[in-house]
């Protein structure tokens, strides 16, 4: 049920980056609605042609057109068009040193938890919850009392396609895996966008997980407890979404937030 957009209605603007199989661009989409021309900002995720099989295996159910080609059929470009989210990926925003308060971070964590709860109710596994797939639509301004607003982006090319260079075999991706990633993402948010074991090579990461190690805990014990519950090596022990939201609510109302409200951002 994909909405087809004609290529000539898209204009590519600056390249925003390069993923392992994709290139991302800012762009503009032109629509003619009731005789008026409307231009909207869009985010373009282009799949490298060389990885075309990824796209087809990933989207073959989406549209028959991508599997057949004939001189009387339009060619299919492998492009995903998304609404342009104003401040982009959260990991980069935090790394750029956006000085954010503890309550800002908890607010973002709670929004992610409610997105997770929604997916769980639909029995949908995201499979790649992390800071770079969290998009910041509104910065939030504490002086105006406005809070941040995030959107969870698509997981990108499925882990099944990433081949051997990932730790987790794709076939056992379950809802509990998203809870693990939720914990790791909360850890990331409270560590200024740095991912756990950043810079370690695959073997070091494998050793870490195979010896059931835990990430360095936050000095805020209740937060560290929530992260370690989500990152329990026994999936069945990970908390339900409702429990995660309940624990976040009590963190939000705890004294720690007031005491650390204007904590300087560690550079
Ligand atoms: N400087 C800057 C800047 C960059 C991008 C946006 N906007 C945006 N809109 C989306 N819909 C998706 C994304 N993404 C970026 C990485 C990923 C990973 O998937 N998505 N960025 C806004 C500002």
């Amino acid at each position: 049920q994909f909405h087809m957009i004609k290529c000539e209605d898209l204009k590519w603007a600056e390249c925003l980056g390069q993923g392992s199989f994709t290139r991302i661009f800012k762009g503009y989409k032109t629509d003619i609605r009731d005789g008026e021309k409307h231009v909207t900002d869009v985010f373009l995720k282009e799949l490298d042609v060389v990885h075309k099989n990824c796209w087809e295996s990933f989207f073959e159910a989406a549209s028959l057109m991508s599997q057949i080609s004939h001189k009387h059929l339009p060619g299919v470009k492998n492009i995903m068009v998304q609404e342009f989210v104003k401040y982009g990926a959260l990991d980069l925003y935090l790394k750029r040193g956006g000085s954010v308060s503890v309550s800002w971070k908890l607010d973002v964590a709670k929004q992610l938890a409610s997105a997770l709860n929604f997916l769980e109710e639909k029995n949908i596994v995201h499979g790649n919850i992390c800071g770079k797939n969290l998009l910041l639509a509104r910065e939030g301004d504490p002086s105006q009392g406005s809070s941040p607003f995030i959107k969870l982006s698509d997981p990108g090319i499925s882990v099944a396609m990433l081949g051997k260079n990932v730790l987790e075999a794709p076939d056992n991706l379950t809802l509990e895996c998203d809870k693990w990633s939720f914990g790791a993402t909360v850890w990331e948010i409270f560590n200024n966008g740095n991912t756990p074991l950043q810079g370690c090579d695959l073997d070091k990461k494998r050793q870490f997980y195979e010896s059931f190690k835990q990430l360095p805990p936050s000095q805020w014990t209740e937060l560290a407890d929530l992260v370690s519950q989500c990152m329990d090596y026994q999936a069945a022990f990970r908390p339900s979404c409702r429990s995660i939201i309940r624990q976040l609510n009590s963190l939000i109302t705890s004294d720690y937030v007031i005491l650390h409200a204007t904590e300087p951002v560690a550079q």
Side-chain angles (χ1 to χ4, degrees), residues 67-177:
Q67 291 165 45
I68 47 178
S69 69
H70 182 274
K71 62 179 184 290
H72 293 305
L73 292 177
V76 177
K77 303 260 296 181
N78 301 322
I79 300 165
M80 179 191 286
V81 183
Q82 262 182 16
E83 65 160 301
F84 188 78
V85 175
K86 196 161 181 336
Y87 299 94
L90 184 68
D91 65 327
L92 296 181
Y93 181 83
L94 293 173
K95 282 174 187 161
R96 267 187 231 121
S99 67
V100 290
S101 67
V102 167
S103 56
W104 191 96
K105 295 172 184 172
L106 287 173
D107 197 323
V108 165
K110 201 175 154 196
Q111 292 176 41
L112 176 56
S114 61
L116 214 61
N117 191 43
F118 172 77
L119 291 176
E120 184 176 74
E121 279 169 1
K122 301 253 180 251
N123 211 15
I124 293 172
V125 178
H126 183 278
N128 194 7
I129 292 181
C130 58
K132 79 171 175 52
N133 282 336
L134 278 184
L135 306 172
L136 190 62
R138 195 177 63 216
E139 270 189 305
D141 176 349
S143 59
Q144 307 294 329
S146 78
S147 54
F149 195 85
I150 53 120
K151 296 186 178 228
L152 177 60
S153 182
D154 63 285
I157 300 293
S158 73
V159 277
M161 287 296 146
L162 292 173
K164 69 212 170 305
N165 66 343
V166 286
L167 290 170
E168 192 162 291
D171 50 359
N172 57 8
L173 263 186
T174 61
L175 288 170
E176 282 72 28
C177 301

Side-chain angles (χ1 to χ4, degrees), residues 246-262:
R246 222 180 3 255
Q247 293 186 59
L248 280 171
N249 282 331
S250 70
L251 292 179
I252 285 169
T253 56
S254 88
D255 300 344
Y256 185 93
V257 176
I258 299 154
L259 290 173
H260 295 76
T262 54

Side-chain angles (χ1 to χ4, degrees), residues 2-234:
F2 278 70
H3 170 57
M4 302 302 274
I5 298 173
K6 291 198 292 298
C7 243
E8 62 262 24
D9 295 343
L10 288 173
K11 204 158 98 52
W12 268 252
E14 64 270 24
C15 177
L16 296 171
Q18 176 118 15
S20 24
F21 301 96
T22 57
R23 261 190 308 284
I24 57 179
F25 296 85
K26 169 152 190 186
Y28 303 100
K29 182 161 77 82
T30 311
D31 300 285
I32 310 286
R33 273 198 305 266
D34 36 289
E36 273 185 3
K37 187 175 150 185
H38 294 259
V39 181
T40 40
D41 289 4
V42 290
F43 174 79
L44 301 165
K45 194 186 268 195
E46 214 176 60
L47 182 66
D48 292 346
V49 176
V50 70
H51 297 297
K52 193 165 166 27
N53 65 319
C54 280
W55 177 275
E56 280 171 354
S57 57
F58 201 58
F59 281 91
E60 63 195 5
S63 74
L64 189 66
M65 300 297 271
S66 67
Q67 291 165 45
I68 47 178
S69 69
H70 182 274
K71 62 179 184 290
H72 293 305
L73 292 177
V76 177
K77 303 260 296 181
N78 301 322
I79 300 165
M80 179 191 286
V81 183
Q82 262 182 16
E83 65 160 301
F84 188 78
V85 175
K86 196 161 181 336
Y87 299 94
L90 184 68
D91 65 327
L92 296 181
Y93 181 83
L94 293 173
K95 282 174 187 161
R96 267 187 231 121
S99 67
V100 290
S101 67
V102 167
S103 56
W104 191 96
K105 295 172 184 172
L106 287 173
D107 197 323
V108 165
K110 201 175 154 196
Q111 292 176 41
L112 176 56
S114 61
L116 214 61
N117 191 43
F118 172 77
L119 291 176
E120 184 176 74
E121 279 169 1
K122 301 253 180 251
N123 211 15
I124 293 172
V125 178
H126 183 278
N128 194 7
I129 292 181
C130 58
K132 79 171 175 52
N133 282 336
L134 278 184
L135 306 172
L136 190 62
R138 195 177 63 216
E139 270 189 305
D141 176 349
S143 59
Q144 307 294 329
S146 78
S147 54
F149 195 85
I150 53 120
K151 296 186 178 228
L152 177 60
S153 182
D154 63 285
I157 300 293
S158 73
V159 277
M161 287 296 146
L162 292 173
K164 69 212 170 305
N165 66 343
V166 286
L167 290 170
E168 192 162 291
D171 50 359
N172 57 8
L173 263 186
T174 61
L175 288 170
E176 282 72 28
C177 301
D178 283 345
K179 306 243 173 78
W180 173 283
S181 310
F182 172 80
T185 306
V186 170
W187 191 93
E188 205 185 317
I189 293 169
F190 280 84
N191 283 276
N192 303 318
N194 297 312
T195 44
L197 310 177
Q198 188 163 286
C200 296
D201 63 23
L202 210 52
D203 277 345
K204 278 225 189 57
K205 288 181 183 169
R206 198 180 300 280
Q207 274 165 18
F208 182 91
Y209 293 119
E210 281 173 353
S211 42
F212 304 114
K213 287 211 176 73
Q214 289 289 347
L215 297 177
S218 157
Q219 84 268 19
W220 184 5
T221 322
E222 289 80 0
L223 177 76
D225 289 347
L226 176 58
V227 169
S228 57
Q229 285 169 39
C230 293
M231 301 185 78
D232 193 307
Y233 280 89
Q234 291 182 283

